[in-house]
Amino acid sequence: MSSLPTIRESYEIIKSERDQRLYRCFKLTNELKVLLTSDPTTDKAAAALDVHVGTMLDPADLPGLAHFCEHMLFLGTDKYQEENEYSKFLSAHGGSSNAFTSSENTNFYFDVAAEHLSGALDRFAQFFLCPLFTSSATDREMNAVHSEHEKNLNADAWRLHQLERALSKPDHDFNKFGTGNRLTLELQPKEKGINVREKLLEFHDRYYSANIMALVVIGKESLDELQEMVIDLFGKVANTNVKVPEWLDHPFGPEQLQKRIFVVPKKDIRQLTLVWPTPDLLPLYKGNPVHYMAHLLGHEGPGSLLSELKTRGWSNALVAGPKGGAKGFGFFSVSVDLTPEGLDHVDDIVKLVYECIELLRKEGIQRWIFDECRDLGAMQFRFKEKERPSSFVSSVASSMHDYEPEHVLCANYIITEFRPDWIENILKCLVPAMMRMTIVAKHFEPIATLREHWYGTEYQIEDIDPVLIAEWSTVDAHHSLSLPPPNEFIPTDFSLIEGAEAEEPQLLKETPFSKLWHAPDRQFLLPKVFMSMHFRSSMAYFDPLSANLTSLFTDLLRDALNEFAYAAELAGLEYSFKNTSYGLLLTFRGYHHKLDKLMMRIMERMVDDKFDAKRFEILKENYKRMLENFSAEQPYQHAIYYTNVITTEVMWSKHQLLDALPLTTFEALTRFLPEMLSRLHLETLAYGNIDAKNALRMVEQVESIIQSKYSQHLLQPSQLVNFRQFALGEGESFTYQHYNFSRDQVEADHLQTISKEQVIQFYNTFVRSDAPERKKLVVYISPKIQPLEPTKAKVVTAIDEWKKTHSLYPLPVPCNSKL
């Protein structure tokens, strides 16, 4: 092909042995890195371009400029000047798009019906060739950026993330505010005489350079066709030879360490997070030493740190591992979910963490543990399933900046180098003198006198007592802690079943107590199984109290099985156990080998109604907080929730569930469980690498375990009917309004974060008679109420009363029905 000379370098991609896609990786003469993926079976084409620039390169006087630039690229180009042309094209052809800006990456991606890749890619490429950045669009999109920031103001994850940055070195790029808002992108620049549009153009011209871009495309076309398409469009992207910075100076220096930070959250959450600065560990991916450390500190089996914390009643969950840094520096963290009692024992928990770290030092780096992690990663890569095209291109485009081109598909799975010295170097970082700790709880409101500038997060910071630092530095390994045993769930049988070619699930068994559907996998050909077992019971959702008890039963069972099932999860065999509006749903997914071992253990524990009363109270408190915290969720989640409450025949509201909590006791649960578990109907679907004989055998074993403990009172057909949805008449329209009754408190809390300077700036900008943004509204008082706009929508004021006046839709007819 005539276009081939424009390729500077080519690379051989390492892919999974079962991966049928074709790949081609190369670098264009303008230094842009490209990975092409040909998949004739895909119904969606997709592409992503990742620019190795993010919020850490924002100009000091324009926080949020990188994020703003990301927004602006969607709003017109020289070739396609209509602002929404790109989005319109994708929507018209079954596609979608998105983008995000992180500390050092800006990632754009889309998907589209496979036959329309060429048109979508042409519009996409113009972002990086000739964006317009029109003045009118700049002003409007600034509002979108501001709205995005406003949306996140009450999100604890955003608040904690920005607080961590704010408490880093003041002159470090990590300290910046990355989202941006109207203040940073409009008001302050105007005061300083800065033209934001010109700065956008400068930023784009400087950093949107081909040599720090990575493009990934997937489509039905052949590799040659994709290559020609990409070279024609992206070979024209300018290369300014910009250098990606490396921050060798860590944002956490001595002045930021040995600190205790108290934070007040918006939701009622309790959390302890320990953070240690580390070097940039990403270049060590071939040995992945941080995975070894995360595996052992975050283990949940017998003898683990979490196991001991749960035994003491101090925690329900723990996460350990690397925390996002940037090129040149990193972090390692241990985050502990705290119970009320755990909040009173924070220093004891920290001590226990260091006792666990000391255990790892004393035991030394274990080759067998490394080998087990290596083998599990290799197995996961070998049987890796296809991702959604848009997810695939977005993640791989970002990875192309981090790994050697040959390894972009396998780097997160394949470990090839055993380097005990790398692991030892991480251990050397995890010492009290290099730690800072953050404790999050509503409990700290009286002492949290400081406010983070951008989100108004209430916090307090103090030095950790040197006596504690010395004590934690000299601990010995705790006698209750131990290394995990070899994983008994690692599969060794990957053989595939032979036989039936059924395309639809077949009904293998139907009795008054049980129904079994079976379908062998004839498409993906993986040694994996998916099984869904729905234990239907008319008692599980009979009233709010029953719903609470059923939910807490599932929590208690998962909690009791966690140490046993964690090893299975590591080995690629997962289960889920949750309550539904009809009963209990138990699902399994993963490798077929040793599935029955996990299933039988879960079933034996399910019918054993002996649970720990202390764990019940801890989990009940968690459940209560979960119900209460819903009020702090995003408005769109409330809209979805209330729509379901209104239109579903039976759905207990969160208020009704909370009202029933005083009656939700451990004694009530012990009375309730035998009643519910003796009134079950089992419906099972077995799909994947499992034949009919084994599916029947496993279901019969489950039936036997249940019936050996509980004599079954068979459910009547009428008790197996699903709930229905309320019907709306033709042309009917209804509106339900849910008000924020704590608005006064929310506003009062926010007023505490506003400074005198901000009030003066607001007055000068919006209120003063000659203010540039002054707008005036005149309100006339009318003697009678008149709607501002005529509307056909009727207002729903009482949900239960509304339901009384509406009929229900009929249930859909099952596909095997004889009606």
Side-chain angles (χ1 to χ4, degrees):
M1 297 173 59
S2 59
S3 56
L4 285 177
T6 60
I7 294 178
R8 177 178 170 182
E9 298 176 60
S10 297
Y11 312 93
E12 286 295 324
I13 295 295
I14 299 172
K15 66 175 187 175
S16 168
E17 64 184 65
R18 303 186 65 84
D19 189 348
Q20 299 301 308
R21 290 170 167 173
L22 299 177
Y23 299 94
R24 182 176 294 169
C25 185
F26 53 88
K27 186 183 289 186
L28 297 175
T29 50
N30 62 0
E31 300 288 332
L32 192 147
K33 297 184 283 288
V34 179
L35 176 67
L36 304 178
T37 307
S38 175
D39 182 1
T41 67
T42 188
D43 60 343
K44 283 285 185 79
L49 190 144
D50 190 283
V51 190
H52 207 178
V53 60
T55 61
M56 288 179 64
L57 289 180
D58 281 341
D61 54 359
L62 280 173
L65 189 67
H67 181 216
F68 191 23
C69 185
E70 169 223 307
H71 275 246
M72 288 300 301
L73 293 190
F74 287 83
L75 300 179
T77 61
D78 281 348
K79 185 172 182 180
Y80 298 100
Q81 297 195 3
E82 187 178 351
E83 285 187 9
N84 60 348
E85 168 62 25
Y86 171 69
S87 301
K88 277 174 58 178
F89 183 88
L90 293 177
S91 297
H93 300 100
S96 62
S97 68
N98 212 334
F100 64 84
T101 304
S102 64
S103 294
E104 54 177 353
N105 295 83
T106 306
N107 191 288
F108 303 84
Y109 58 95
F110 71 84
D111 65 11
V112 70
E115 57 271 22
H116 293 285
L117 173 61
S118 178
L121 204 59
D122 182 26
R123 287 160 176 80
F124 184 62
Q126 307 310 313
F127 287 10
F128 315 102
L129 294 169
C130 51
L132 289 178
F133 292 127
T134 62
S135 297
S136 59
T138 302
D139 293 339
R140 286 197 306 277
E141 199 60 23
M142 202 173 294
N143 292 327
V145 171
H146 184 75
S147 296
E148 186 175 335
H149 171 62
E150 293 276 301
K151 172 180 67 71
N152 297 326
L153 281 175
N154 289 325
D156 286 314
W158 285 88
R159 296 165 69 84
L160 291 169
H161 177 71
Q162 187 59 39
L163 180 62
E164 180 178 59
R165 289 174 172 269
L167 297 180
S168 64
K169 291 178 181 176
D171 58 347
H172 199 286
D173 287 335
F174 186 75
N175 187 272
K176 294 175 179 177
F177 167 51
T179 305
N181 61 14
R182 187 176 291 118
L183 179 66
T184 68
L185 295 170
E186 179 182 8
L187 302 181
Q188 288 180 344
K190 279 184 179 179
E191 288 183 355
K192 298 174 183 178
I194 297 173
N195 186 314
V196 176
R197 181 175 179 272
E198 288 182 3
K199 292 295 183 180
L200 278 169
L201 290 167
E202 290 175 14
F203 187 88
H204 187 276
D205 290 344
R206 179 179 180 185
Y207 289 114
Y208 276 60
S209 172
N211 71 303
I212 62 168
M213 291 181 178
L215 172 69
V216 179
V217 181
I218 180 171
K220 282 180 175 289
E221 293 83 353
S222 70
L223 290 174
D224 286 343
E225 290 171 321
L226 292 172
Q227 179 176 310
E228 184 174 8
M229 198 184 302
V230 163
I231 289 175
D232 181 53
L233 292 171
F234 292 89
K236 304 169 187 174
V237 177
N239 178 11
T240 63
N241 289 307
V242 66
K243 185 178 179 181
V244 177
E246 186 174 13
W247 293 269
L248 297 178
D249 176 34
H250 203 286
F252 288 1
E255 293 183 1
Q256 286 74 42
L257 301 175
Q258 298 187 37
K259 301 293 183 184
R260 188 192 300 261
I261 304 159
F262 305 96
V263 184
V264 179
K266 285 295 182 180
K267 289 185 178 180
D268 187 8
I269 59 176
R270 295 181 298 268
Q271 189 177 70
L272 165 67
T273 301
L274 312 180
V275 176
W276 298 266
T278 70
D280 184 3
L281 300 172
L282 205 54
L284 310 181
Y285 70 89
K286 292 179 183 177
N288 205 352
V290 73
H291 176 73
Y292 181 97
M293 292 300 305
H295 171 66
L296 294 180
L297 284 174
H299 208 278
E300 299 180 16
S304 67
L305 175 59
L306 177 60
S307 176
E308 180 62 20
L309 289 171
K310 289 175 71 172
T311 298
R312 300 187 190 190
W314 294 348
S315 176
N316 294 311
L318 179 149
V319 177
K323 205 165 184 263
K327 190 176 177 64
F329 69 90
F331 304 94
F332 190 92
S333 73
V334 173
S335 186
V336 181
D337 175 63
L338 299 172
T339 65
E341 189 177 349
L343 190 59
D344 295 330
H345 290 273
V346 165
D347 289 346
D348 296 317
I349 293 173
V350 176
K351 181 181 178 182
L352 195 60
V353 170
Y354 281 111
E355 288 172 336
C356 186
I357 292 171
E358 184 60 23
L359 169 72
L360 304 187
R361 287 196 182 95
K362 284 196 167 183
E363 293 287 346
I365 310 305
Q366 302 286 316
R367 179 63 193 245
W368 74 265
I369 294 177
F370 171 85
D371 289 344
E372 186 174 276
C373 292
R374 178 201 62 201
D375 294 344
L376 287 172
M379 180 182 70
Q380 189 179 0
F381 185 62
R382 177 185 174 187
F383 298 108
K384 185 172 177 291
E385 298 176 26
K386 281 184 180 180
E387 304 101 319
R388 200 174 60 200
S390 60
S391 300
F392 169 78
V393 295
S394 176
S395 62
V396 175
S398 178
S399 296
M400 290 179 74
H401 300 302
D402 301 326
Y403 308 125
E404 294 175 19
E406 296 86 352
H407 302 145
V408 291
L409 299 183
C410 69
N412 290 323
Y413 305 92
I414 302 299
I415 306 173
T416 57
E417 298 182 22
F418 178 53
R419 292 293 300 268
D421 55 324
W422 289 353
I423 301 171
E424 291 282 2
N425 287 338
I426 297 176
L427 269 173
K428 291 175 183 176
C429 296
L430 307 187
V431 295
M434 295 178 64
M435 175 196 76
R436 80 175 188 182
M437 55 193 290
T438 302
I439 312 115
V440 181
K442 291 279 192 181
H443 178 76
F444 300 124
E445 284 182 292
I447 66 169
T449 58
L450 302 176
R451 299 289 185 276
E452 188 275 323
H453 180 70
W454 299 109
Y455 289 82
T457 306
E458 302 167 69
Y459 73 99
Q460 187 56 265
I461 184 169
E462 65 183 27
D463 293 335
I464 300 175
D465 189 338
V467 174
L468 278 175
I469 295 291
E471 178 187 341
W472 294 335
S473 300
T474 57
V475 297
D476 200 357
H478 195 277
H479 63 87
S480 297
L481 301 175
S482 61
L483 296 178
N487 193 328
E488 60 182 308
F489 282 99
I490 296 177
T492 56
D493 178 7
F494 302 112
S495 59
L496 300 179
I497 61 170
E498 299 177 357
E501 294 289 339
E503 294 183 2
E504 295 180 353
Q506 302 296 306
L507 184 60
L508 294 186
K509 178 179 182 178
E510 184 171 21
T511 70
F513 175 63
S514 175
K515 183 184 291 187
L516 167 62
W517 294 87
H518 169 257
D521 168 30
R522 293 302 174 212
Q523 179 179 358
F524 303 103
L525 303 178
L526 293 168
K528 297 182 179 182
V529 173
F530 172 81
M531 288 192 74
S532 172
M533 295 183 162
H534 202 174
F535 300 90
R536 298 185 61 131
S537 172
S538 57
M539 296 188 63
Y541 205 69
F542 179 74
D543 56 18
L545 174 60
S546 301
N548 284 345
L549 292 171
T550 305
S551 181
L552 283 165
F553 169 54
T554 63
D555 291 343
L556 279 165
L557 185 69
R558 290 195 304 270
D559 184 68
L561 285 166
N562 188 63
E563 290 187 7
F564 173 78
Y566 182 72
E569 182 181 344
L570 290 177
L573 181 56
E574 301 176 3
Y575 88 98
S576 168
F577 187 58
K578 60 185 180 181
N579 59 305
T580 72
S581 300
Y582 306 107
L584 304 164
L585 181 62
L586 176 62
T587 60
F588 299 89
R589 65 177 70 240
Y591 299 99
H592 72 272
H593 191 208
K594 304 184 180 180
L595 167 63
D596 53 350
K597 180 178 182 178
L598 177 63
M599 180 184 292
M600 294 309 112
R601 177 66 179 272
I602 291 173
M603 289 307 307
E604 288 166 0
R605 190 65 186 87
M606 176 177 157
V607 299
D608 179 4
D609 53 9
K610 296 180 178 62
F611 292 102
D612 182 77
K614 184 177 180 180
R615 292 302 299 168
F616 174 86
E617 294 300 330
I618 290 172
L619 294 173
K620 177 183 173 182
E621 195 269 341
N622 272 2
Y623 178 67
K624 178 174 181 287
R625 282 191 296 141
M626 179 270 293
L627 293 172
E628 292 173 336
N629 281 337
F630 181 74
S631 62
E633 294 292 353
Q634 297 280 7
Y636 78 89
Q637 292 178 295
H638 286 258
I640 294 170
Y641 165 72
Y642 282 106
T643 299
N644 289 333
V645 170
I646 292 170
T647 59
T648 303
E649 183 179 2
V650 178
M651 180 176 172
W652 307 122
S653 71
K654 298 190 188 299
H655 293 296
Q656 291 170 323
L657 296 173
L658 280 167
D659 289 343
L661 270 182
L663 299 176
T664 308
T665 63
F666 186 69
E667 292 72 24
L669 181 70
T670 57
R671 295 191 300 269
F672 173 76
L673 284 182
E675 291 292 321
M676 180 179 69
L677 295 177
S678 61
R679 291 168 170 79
L680 296 176
H681 181 271
L682 174 60
E683 296 180 1
T684 304
L685 168 65
Y687 169 78
N689 193 47
I690 184 170
D691 57 26
K693 179 180 178 181
N694 277 307
L696 277 167
R697 175 183 59 81
M698 293 174 77
V699 168
E700 287 169 358
Q701 286 178 320
V702 168
E703 292 177 10
S704 176
I705 291 172
I706 295 173
Q707 293 171 339
S708 66
K709 181 69 181 287
Y710 298 106
S711 297
Q712 291 299 309
H713 304 277
L714 298 177
L715 299 187
Q716 298 300 311
S718 61
Q719 294 176 294
L720 299 175
V721 177
N722 288 349
F723 297 135
R724 295 188 287 166
Q725 300 297 114
F726 281 94
L728 298 179
E730 186 175 345
E732 279 191 313
S733 178
F734 293 90
T735 297
Y736 176 73
Q737 296 174 314
H738 179 69
Y739 297 95
N740 178 8
F741 291 107
S742 28
R743 181 182 180 88
D744 290 344
Q745 184 61 45
V746 171
E747 291 180 349
D749 289 344
H750 188 66
L751 282 172
Q752 299 296 320
T753 70
I754 298 175
S755 67
K756 176 183 175 182
E757 290 74 19
Q758 288 174 303
V759 173
I760 293 173
Q761 184 178 50
F762 179 86
Y763 174 81
N764 289 333
T765 305
F766 296 102
V767 180
R768 201 180 65 232
S769 60
D770 59 344
E773 297 295 322
R774 177 181 168 93
K775 297 178 175 67
K776 187 176 180 181
L777 171 68
V778 178
V779 178
Y780 294 93
I781 307 301
S782 171
K784 60 182 180 179
I785 297 175
Q786 295 177 337
L788 294 178
E789 294 181 12
T791 176
K792 295 181 179 179
K794 301 174 184 176
V795 177
V796 177
T797 55
I799 294 175
D800 290 336
E801 292 301 315
W802 183 88
K803 288 184 175 183
K804 290 178 184 178
T805 62
H806 282 75
S807 59
L808 294 160
Y809 285 113
L811 290 170
V813 178
C815 61
N816 65 325
S817 173
K818 298 179 181 178
L819 293 177

